[in-house]
Amino acid sequence: MNDNAEPSRKLDQLGKRRVSLRRQWILSFLGTTLIVVGCVTFGAWWFADHQTRAEVEERLTSIGRSLAAPNYPMTPTVLRAVSELTDTQLILLDASGQIVDTTLTISPETQRSLASVAHAGTNTGTGIYIDHAYVAPDNQNYHAGWARFEGVETLGRTQAIAWVGILLDQATVRQMRWQALALPLITGIATAIGLGAIAGWLTDRVVRRLQAVQRKVQRIATGDYAPIELSGQHDELFELSTNVNRMASELQLMEARIHSTERERLVHALAAGLSHDLRNTLTGARLAIQLHARECSGDSEAIAVAMRQLRLAEDQLMRWLRLGGETESAESQSLHEVVDKAIELVRPMSEHLGSQLNVVRCPNLESIVFERSELLTSAVLNLLLNAIQAAGHAGQIELRVVAGTPPWLTIEISDNGPGPTPEVQSRMFDPLVTTKREGVGLGLALVTKAAKELAGEVTWHRDDGRTVFCLRIPIANT
């Protein structure tokens, strides 16, 4: 009991920790997408920062070279015009680092106190010096470029100018950086959103198909073997659905075989038990009639009919015994003897119901002899009884013995009855399946058993308002 409880406990624990497949896939994709977007954003920011720095340095260098050797006088008016044109702030320093002129708005005290700071950036020799974190005299941060002034003398002022400082506002640089970052960032975000929508759609499609398979498996567990509708492309899920349908079909067949086996076992047990008891009773009745026939000479026809009915009852009991597992004694008889015996046994019932029994024999089959004639007699007799009962009063029954495709023998028994109902058509060869009020459903089961033991088959069909049963037996096995 503990062994059975342990797996149940594990299943319950697994059920409590259950997370839907859709959630797992979406969370995994979102996590991956966030990591990718983060990496792309960081890479884009790094690339934009370096690209912006390179553009700033190139811009400051270009402006510095133009201002370091101008072809025009560097007057305050020109200085402010150049500042507005280049969107920069300009500072002119003399050789000692004092501010000669600037476009910055600062007080004279601030100029004197910060002149040494400006002078420190000039002690780099020749060329253009770039400072990306320069704090200007107006106490603001700039990207600065310092160039040694080599302009021509103009109004005596050129001699006083030694350095030109070009200051680019940090806000302008940030705007340049965002402009460089915006396109890859927007592209990455839009791509992530698009991929997320596509992944969600694909996930939903896959999960829906998986849920359909899951529901089908649950229905199989309850005994519903209806096939699942196949949809989508021919992929792994399509093959999984196909295999589930195949499994359901195999389980349905297996269940039908199990039920059939259970019915056969029940029939075998009932047939064996009842037949033994009834056979003793019928044997006593037959012996009594035989003794009476010896002592009395009158009404011999009635006694003959009674004896035929007793033989029919005994024959049926023998077939029940065979259905219950007992084997019959081997007796060789010709095909015509088998047919005559079966007709003789059913004739009283046929005459009682007013049925018309027509027999058609193929003349070239007279020499066929069956070593297991009792099996063939049982099959033909049960088919005749079934046809007579199905046709009812004044019915028309026909028995045809013809040669089929070599080496097969075909025995056809047809009647003009209404035929089996749709409810039992697929199961009427199974034991205990019947639509007759007083029937037990063993006749056609006995025919099927006899046909299998003779390596043959029995089928049926409707033809022009008649029900036709075909018993096909290989002549080589007779």
Side-chain angles (χ1 to χ4, degrees), residues 55-277:
E55 291 179 359
V56 168
E57 292 178 1
E58 183 179 358
R59 180 175 178 180
L60 293 177
T61 301
S62 177
I63 297 174
R65 287 173 179 172
S66 299
L67 295 179
N71 295 322
Y72 44 82
M74 193 62 67
T75 62
T77 302
V78 172
L79 189 66
R80 281 158 181 76
V82 173
S83 174
E84 294 177 359
L85 184 64
T86 59
D87 195 21
T88 58
Q89 300 293 336
L90 302 177
I91 298 179
L92 301 180
L93 300 179
D94 60 13
S96 62
Q98 295 295 324
I99 298 176
V100 177
D101 198 357
T102 180
T103 58
L104 298 173
T105 303
I106 54 177
S107 63
E109 293 79 8
T110 303
Q111 291 185 33
R112 287 191 297 272
S113 63
L114 297 179
S116 59
V117 177
H119 178 62
T122 66
N123 297 327
T124 59
T126 60
I128 298 178
Y129 166 71
I130 303 297
D131 185 1
H132 291 283
Y134 175 69
V135 180
D138 62 352
N139 207 26
Q140 299 294 325
N141 293 327
Y142 292 90
H143 293 262
W146 299 95
R148 186 178 295 277
F149 189 75
E150 299 176 356
V152 297
E153 293 186 8
T154 306
L155 300 178
R157 186 178 181 183
T158 303
Q159 296 176 350
I161 301 174
W163 296 91
V164 177
I166 306 97
L167 311 182
L168 188 60
D169 190 8
Q170 290 278 10
T172 303
V173 176
R174 283 195 296 271
Q175 184 178 2
M176 294 172 58
R177 185 182 293 113
W178 276 110
Q179 289 177 352
L181 179 62
L183 182 59
L185 185 61
I186 293 174
T187 302
I189 294 175
T191 302
I193 294 174
L195 290 177
I198 295 174
W201 176 70
L202 292 175
T203 300
D204 186 70
R205 286 192 59 190
V206 173
V207 170
R208 283 179 182 273
R209 294 171 66 186
L210 284 175
Q211 288 175 343
V213 176
Q214 179 187 15
R215 290 192 295 268
K216 172 58 183 175
V217 173
Q218 291 175 346
R219 290 198 300 270
I220 291 175
T222 61
D224 182 5
Y225 302 112
I228 187 175
E229 182 180 355
L230 300 178
S231 61
Q233 297 180 350
H234 192 103
D235 51 12
E236 287 80 358
L237 285 178
F238 186 92
E239 294 178 353
L240 175 62
S241 302
T242 303
N243 291 332
V244 169
N245 284 342
R246 186 179 297 113
M247 178 186 68
S249 178
E250 292 295 331
L251 287 175
Q252 186 175 17
L253 292 176
M254 186 180 300
E255 184 180 34
R257 286 194 291 267
I258 291 174
H259 290 168
S260 178
T261 302
E262 291 177 350
R263 285 195 299 268
E264 289 180 359
R265 288 179 179 176
L266 176 61
V267 170
H268 293 168
L270 291 175
L274 292 175
S275 299
H276 280 294
D277 295 336

